Amino acid sequence: MQLGVTFPQTEIGADPGAIREYVQAAEGVGYKHLIAFDHVLGADITHRPGWQKYTSQHLFHEIFVLYGYLAAFSQLELVPAVLVLPQRQTALVAKQAAEIALLTAGKTRLGVGVGWNEVEFEALGVDFHQRGRLIDEQIEVLRLLWSQESVTYKGRFHTISQAGLNPLPPRHNIPIWIGGKSDIALRRVARLGDGWFPFPHKPNAEMQETLERLRNYTREAGRDPHAIGIEPRLEAAQYSFDELIEQVEGWQKLGATHITINTMNMGLKSPAEHIKTIMRFKETLDKG
């Protein structure tokens, strides 16, 4: 099971040197990949009472620009998890992801999801209520653009007339992993995904049932369930290190292929404290 870290988007700050130090520290102690969350805009909550999620006060680095920077000095696998795909132009995402794949010698996966922030969709000019139907077609178009030098396509949301990317990504493919916990999301993973990101969840009997449901959907789609990767995220803010180690063991038993630790929301005050925490977790895991 491959171990990675969640880039502390909202807490890392804006110092490129601190970002570099964090990533190099993660790589130096043996983490193999890095995931980062995606948001383009945050809502100003002055006139939005009760807003519970990310706001305009939360710092988010733009994910493809960030990964272009990291690829210059890191060998970590770089994984957007998840990119809010429906609010972005598909051909542009195909181009950006292909470039990250090129810069990392293929060490990337593209994690995608439908998103939840209607404020972002409005500002980016996309119908929030069409996002589920849109993402299915986007995944199809991404794979065409990555695999063919010239694409002609006519769908509900996309028209491409004899056009293509250059350069194409290594192996003419980028694995697409899908986030989400609804039954619709599970069926989308079964039909279209190379892997699934379960949102924070314990490796318990309920998750075992969910995974079996995913595997059944995958068989119904005519695909091999064992070809679908699974990557849960461990929330370090919610558990002791001993409990986190127990969760790692539990996920291994459930067949997870990757796992990531998230140190945001722990009350850590600096990038140095995030570094110290991921190093301590890795040392604890290695001893166990």
Side-chain angles (χ1 to χ4, degrees), residues 125-283:
V126 180
D127 184 350
F128 179 77
H129 302 289
Q130 293 274 17
R131 67 196 193 283
R133 288 181 285 272
L134 175 56
I135 196 172
D136 287 351
E137 187 170 299
Q138 286 182 295
I139 291 171
E140 180 184 6
V141 171
L142 286 173
R143 288 190 168 127
L144 288 173
L145 288 169
W146 290 332
S147 62
Q148 300 180 16
E149 293 183 357
S150 180
V151 173
T152 296
Y153 181 90
K154 178 66 177 178
R156 180 175 179 180
F157 302 101
H158 300 81
T159 299
I160 303 173
S161 301
Q162 297 175 326
L165 300 180
N166 192 357
L168 294 172
R171 299 180 293 278
H172 294 186
N173 180 53
I174 298 172
I176 295 177
W177 288 46
I178 298 171
K181 59 184 179 180
S182 67
D183 195 67
I184 291 174
L186 290 177
R187 291 181 182 274
R188 181 173 292 121
V189 174
R191 289 185 292 108
L192 303 172
D194 296 300
W196 179 46
F197 294 106
F199 287 142
H201 203 296
K202 294 181 180 179
N204 53 19
E206 180 183 355
M207 177 51 65
Q208 185 173 10
E209 186 277 330
T210 300
L211 287 170
E212 189 53 43
R213 186 154 40 101
L214 172 61
R215 289 162 185 150
N216 286 335
Y217 291 158
T218 306
R219 293 185 191 98
E220 290 171 5
R223 303 178 64 206
D224 179 5
H226 298 291
I228 306 293
I230 306 293
E231 178 166 358
R233 187 173 75 235
L234 304 179
E235 298 294 332
Q238 299 178 11
Y239 307 101
S240 69
F241 270 33
D242 287 343
E243 290 171 329
L244 289 172
I245 299 303
E246 290 177 1
Q247 289 201 37
V248 170
E249 294 170 350
W251 279 110
Q252 284 181 313
K253 293 176 182 177
L254 289 181
T257 56
H258 302 66
I259 200 162
T260 307
I261 182 169
N262 177 25
T263 57
M264 285 186 282
N265 304 311
M266 294 182 68
L268 304 179
K269 302 300 184 183
S270 67
E273 291 188 13
H274 282 281
I275 291 171
K276 182 178 179 180
T277 304
I278 63 172
M279 291 178 71
R280 182 182 161 215
F281 176 73
K282 184 65 166 59
E283 290 167 359

